[in-house]
């Protein structure tokens, strides 16, 4: 695992944030992808992190399984695979959006998230064991969340990836609408770095990041901080 992390163009550095042990990220190659980012975060050694809601083992902990859970365009077909394994039925993507996702429109803004139950938890959370029923196919927002401190740039990178991926999902959703909701403008949702990509390995981090964030992540050897 350590060798794989060292070869990853997205490098994890364990870092104290506000006095607690968390992590920072640096990007060592312009070819780094979202898949590299996910691998770096999933490879974190949980025993080295301050985690207020668990002793290190996520099994049975539902702290991150509720609230707003935004989706990216690549999450949708992955969820389709998970549901096929769970139900033995392959649901068309438009039906999956209708049945398992929630689309909120407020003015010109569109937000697409996983549906939640009456208590605000994800509908894929098994209510008794408190475990995800589609864990292997969970969305990016779930795969990259750890209840531990992280530096500002690491948090900004995660937020940027999720937001741009959701923008692309909104573009797909708009393409399905015969009537566009009042206030929403198609031209607000132009192509993104996720456009035409079917895998996170195809999405370049450099294409996603604003120039200042990219500079902070790629050239951070001498300047540190949360």
């Amino acid at each position: 695992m350590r060798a794989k992390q060292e070869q990853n163009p997205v490098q994890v550095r364990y870092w104290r944030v506000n006095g607690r042990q968390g992590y920072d990220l640096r990007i060592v190659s312009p070819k780094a992808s979202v898949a590299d980012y996910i691998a770096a975060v999933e490879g974190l050694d949980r025993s080295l992190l301050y985690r207020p809601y668990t002793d290190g083992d996520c099994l049975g902990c539902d702290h991150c399984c509720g609230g707003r859970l935004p989706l990216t365009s690549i999450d949708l077909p992955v969820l389709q695979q998970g549901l096929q394994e769970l139900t033995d039925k392959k649901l068309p993507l438009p039906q999956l959006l209708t049945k398992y996702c929630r689309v909120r429109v407020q003015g010109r803004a569109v937000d697409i998230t996983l549906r939640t139950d009456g208590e605000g938890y994800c509908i894929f959370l098994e209510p008794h064991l408190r475990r995800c029923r589609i864990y292997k196919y969970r969305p990016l927002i779930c795969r990259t969340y750890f209840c531990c401190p992280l530096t500002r740039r690491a948090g900004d990178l995660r937020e940027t990836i999720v937001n741009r991926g959701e923008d692309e999902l909104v573009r797909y959703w708009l393409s399905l609408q015969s009537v566009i909701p009042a206030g929403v403008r198609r031209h607000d949702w132009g192509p993104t770095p996720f456009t035409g990509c079917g895998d996170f390995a195809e999405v370049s981090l450099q294409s996603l990041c604003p120039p200042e964030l990219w500079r902070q992540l790629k050239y951070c050897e001498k300047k540190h901080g949360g």
Side-chain angles (χ1 to χ4, degrees):
M1 176 66 75
R2 190 180 191 87
K4 288 183 179 179
Q5 285 281 27
E6 289 175 352
Q7 295 169 9
N8 191 334
V10 180
Q11 297 282 307
V12 166
R13 299 189 298 175
Y14 297 96
W15 206 256
R16 292 191 72 79
V17 182
N18 296 326
R20 304 288 190 179
Q21 186 71 4
Y23 73 90
D24 186 26
L25 295 172
R26 66 177 179 182
I27 299 173
V28 297
S29 169
K31 296 181 179 180
S33 69
V34 173
D36 296 322
Y37 163 75
I38 294 171
V41 175
E42 289 187 331
L44 285 165
D45 185 341
R46 300 172 188 181
S47 68
L48 299 178
L49 301 169
Y50 170 74
R51 308 185 71 200
Y53 302 102
T54 174
D55 59 2
D57 186 0
C58 293
L59 198 61
C61 176
D62 60 14
H63 172 71
C64 66
C65 301
R68 177 177 174 267
L69 300 167
L71 298 171
T72 73
S73 56
I74 294 174
D75 289 324
L76 201 63
V78 175
L79 285 172
Q80 183 186 51
Q81 295 175 46
L83 282 164
Q84 185 173 3
E85 185 174 293
L86 186 67
T87 65
D88 205 29
K89 295 179 182 178
K90 187 173 183 178
L91 202 64
L93 294 180
Q95 290 183 34
L96 191 155
L97 263 173
T98 300
K99 187 172 182 179
Y100 293 99
C101 304
R102 182 174 179 181
V103 181
R104 296 180 180 89
V105 178
Q106 186 172 6
R108 294 168 65 175
V110 182
D111 190 29
I112 303 179
T113 60
L114 278 176
R115 285 191 179 275
T116 53
D117 63 18
E119 296 181 347
Y121 287 101
C122 175
I123 56 173
F124 293 116
L125 181 67
E126 204 287 321
H128 302 294
L129 297 176
R130 314 308 285 175
R131 297 179 184 179
C132 180
R133 292 182 292 165
I134 56 164
Y135 186 80
K136 210 167 47 167
Y137 303 95
R138 66 199 187 284
L140 180 143
I141 192 73
C142 307
R143 295 177 66 182
T144 59
Y145 177 82
F146 283 84
C147 55
C148 71
L150 67 165
T151 60
R152 182 174 299 165
R153 60 176 160 252
D156 287 349
L157 176 60
R158 180 173 182 264
E159 183 178 359
T160 297
I161 295 169
V162 171
N163 287 346
R164 299 310 306 278
E166 186 185 6
D167 288 347
E168 187 61 32
L169 181 57
V170 171
R171 290 185 73 239
Y172 171 70
W173 176 78
L174 285 171
S175 74
L176 302 174
Q177 308 307 305
S178 55
V179 178
I180 302 300
V184 177
R185 304 176 183 179
R186 283 189 187 272
H187 64 257
D188 285 344
W189 307 92
T192 75
F194 278 80
T195 301
C197 297
D199 190 282
F200 289 119
E202 300 172 25
V203 186
S204 159
L205 289 179
Q206 186 171 11
S207 67
L208 286 170
C209 291
E212 177 59 20
L213 177 58
W214 179 255
R215 186 194 67 78
Q216 292 175 21
L217 290 162
K218 192 173 189 307
Y219 304 107
C220 57
E221 290 83 357
K222 294 181 180 179
K223 290 185 179 180
H224 307 307

